[in-house]
Amino acid sequence: EVTFRWAHKARAGSMHEDSSKITAYRIIVRKSGKGGVVWDSKEINVDEKEGVPDSVDWGEGKSTAQVGQVLEWQVQVWDAKGKASSSTWTKFALGPEGESDWKGGWIVHPSDMNTFDRKGKDSLDECGLWKQRRPLPLFRAQITPSDLSLDEGDEISSALLVMSGLGSFRASFDGVPLTTSGPIDPPFTDYSKRVSHRGFDVTPFLSGGEKSHVIGVTLGSGWWDHRPVSGMAKPKLLPRGPATVIAQVMITYSSGKTRVVGQTGGDNMWQVSRGHIRESDLFTGEMVDLSVLHEMDGWDTSTGWSDNTALTSGGADPYKE
């Protein structure tokens, strides 16, 4: 379901009696980048008694949009004098609607599965092998020109990177940070019932000709694999597990064809390594090894790419026994 909401204000120079009343509105949805119109509500008169609706659902025409497509929308309103005003174009995307839309699978650092204690009586509270899963892992994958091969005359209309990571994640594309919502992403939920994902418009990265691209993921602990704690903040009943990530890039072409590339799991060559974050704790903050950070500079770019099955770990792991 897609629902549109907006707030309007008086147009500069308008009279109060004119701007205090909206007589009609119109919603237009188009493909991102000044593409063709996907849906046009046409001008809809506002009922004088009911006033402007709080929200408007996407009506007829939604079926012409693709899951994974990046779109833009605009609202137009008419005041009491019949003068129209238009908003700027605002970008949004149609993310995966169901499990069948996810081609990627959850992946973890191989050794982390073996160091997670599920058997102890306090396994819901803390894990005695917690330190062996530190430093936290980094993940990356390469998208090659062959992954993006086009039919003659076709071009990429939009590309949407969808991702989630437990406990928390930061995404990058070709070394450019994408995550802007703070250190705790995705938002905290009851992981046994629901995990949130986030979408990033990576169309500009893929519009620069035939070259390779790199997806990078830096993981944190969040509420998923945090430092064992005691006292009042003892989250015994929260589900736990090793740091894990799921991702894919959903591409829509100008011809209407779609493709998923760079998905986690399966035969896709995602690489993993211990990174520069020694700890990422909700209560005591983040501990970063700056020497490792410097040594791994460019790890999430095509110039820093290596076909090794693992990234350089940046030195010996002091927690490894």
Side-chain angles (χ1 to χ4, degrees), residues 112-131:
D112 285 354
M113 292 299 295
N114 299 325
T115 57
F116 188 73
D117 180 13
R118 298 177 182 273
K119 300 178 182 180
K121 64 178 181 178
D122 294 327
S123 61
L124 286 176
D125 177 39
E126 59 184 47
C127 174
L129 303 178
W130 177 81
K131 286 188 176 181

Side-chain angles (χ1 to χ4, degrees), residues 235-255:
K236 291 184 177 181
L237 300 181
L238 293 178
R240 300 284 303 280
T244 179
V245 66
I246 186 171
Q248 64 186 31
V249 179
M250 309 176 75
I251 300 177
T252 303
Y253 295 95
S254 57
S255 63

Side-chain angles (χ1 to χ4, degrees), residues 96-114:
E97 292 186 312
E99 188 174 351
S100 61
D101 294 322
W102 281 97
K103 307 305 179 184
W106 292 96
I107 56 175
V108 302
H109 191 293
S111 64
D112 285 354
M113 292 299 295
N114 299 325

Side-chain angles (χ1 to χ4, degrees), residues 55-91:
S55 61
V56 176
D57 293 332
W58 189 333
E60 184 179 354
K62 180 183 174 183
S63 59
T64 62
Q66 303 275 2
V67 171
Q69 193 171 25
V70 181
L71 302 167
E72 298 174 333
W73 78 286
Q74 180 190 70
V75 61
Q76 299 175 353
V77 296
W78 283 262
D79 64 15
K81 285 290 188 180
K83 293 184 178 180
S85 299
S86 300
S87 70
T88 57
W89 289 94
T90 302
K91 190 178 295 185

Side-chain angles (χ1 to χ4, degrees), residues 51 66 72 78 128 139 185 196 233 252 294 297 309:
Q66 303 275 2
E72 298 174 333
W78 283 262
F139 293 86
D185 200 358
S196 300
T252 303
H294 176 72
D297 184 43
T309 55

Side-chain angles (χ1 to χ4, degrees), residues 12-316:
S14 62
M15 301 295 290
H16 171 71
E17 58 269 22
D18 297 336
S19 61
S20 62
K21 181 180 180 181
I22 300 300
T23 59
Y25 66 89
R26 177 189 183 189
I27 296 174
I28 304 172
V29 180
R30 70 183 185 187
K31 297 177 182 178
S32 180
K34 299 182 180 180
V37 173
V38 177
W39 178 56
D40 187 344
S41 71
K42 307 298 183 181
E43 185 177 342
I44 299 175
N45 293 325
V46 174
D47 185 279
E48 190 170 347
K49 292 183 179 180
E50 295 182 0
V52 180
D54 293 330
S55 61
V56 176
D57 293 332
W58 189 333
E60 184 179 354
K62 180 183 174 183
S63 59
T64 62
Q66 303 275 2
V67 171
Q69 193 171 25
V70 181
L71 302 167
E72 298 174 333
W73 78 286
Q74 180 190 70
V75 61
Q76 299 175 353
V77 296
W78 283 262
D79 64 15
K81 285 290 188 180
K83 293 184 178 180
S85 299
S86 300
S87 70
T88 57
W89 289 94
T90 302
K91 190 178 295 185
F92 71 101
L94 298 178
E97 292 186 312
E99 188 174 351
S100 61
D101 294 322
W102 281 97
K103 307 305 179 184
W106 292 96
I107 56 175
V108 302
H109 191 293
S111 64
D112 285 354
M113 292 299 295
N114 299 325
T115 57
F116 188 73
D117 180 13
R118 298 177 182 273
K119 300 178 182 180
K121 64 178 181 178
D122 294 327
S123 61
L124 286 176
D125 177 39
E126 59 184 47
C127 174
L129 303 178
W130 177 81
K131 286 188 176 181
Q132 293 188 28
R133 295 191 296 280
R134 269 50 181 172
L136 285 149
L138 302 174
F139 293 86
R140 72 179 182 185
Q142 188 178 49
I143 299 176
T144 65
S146 61
D147 296 326
L148 306 173
S149 59
L150 308 172
D151 296 332
E152 186 175 351
D154 208 354
E155 60 182 11
I156 294 176
S157 175
S158 67
L160 180 70
L161 168 63
V162 287
M163 180 183 298
S164 187
L166 295 176
S168 61
F169 75 91
R170 297 171 188 158
S172 64
F173 204 93
D174 290 345
V176 178
L178 300 177
T179 305
T180 59
S181 55
I184 306 300
D185 200 358
F188 174 65
T189 57
D190 182 348
Y191 301 135
S192 64
K193 298 180 180 179
R194 183 180 296 106
V195 175
S196 300
H197 71 271
R198 193 170 295 279
F200 306 97
D201 180 13
V202 294
T203 310
F205 294 96
L206 303 181
S207 302
E210 292 191 0
K211 61 179 183 179
S212 295
H213 304 274
V214 177
I215 307 169
V217 189
T218 304
L219 287 182
S221 300
W223 285 110
W224 183 246
D225 192 21
H226 53 79
R227 169 187 282 274
V229 294
S230 59
M232 295 182 64
K234 205 166 186 179
K236 291 184 177 181
L237 300 181
L238 293 178
R240 300 284 303 280
T244 179
V245 66
I246 186 171
Q248 64 186 31
V249 179
M250 309 176 75
I251 300 177
T252 303
Y253 295 95
S254 57
S255 63
K257 295 180 180 179
T258 60
R259 179 183 297 176
V260 174
V261 301
Q263 64 267 35
T264 50
D267 297 328
N268 295 286
M269 289 299 295
W270 274 76
Q271 298 180 351
V272 62
S273 171
R274 299 297 180 192
H276 54 278
I277 300 180
R278 312 301 292 183
E279 286 190 25
S280 170
D281 189 81
L282 288 167
F283 301 100
T284 60
E286 191 173 77
M287 183 185 298
V288 175
D289 189 325
L290 294 179
S291 63
V292 174
L293 179 64
H294 176 72
E295 182 178 331
M296 300 182 72
D297 184 43
W299 68 274
D300 54 353
T301 66
S302 57
T303 55
W305 181 266
S306 169
D307 288 330
N308 296 334
T309 55
L311 302 170
T312 304
S313 63

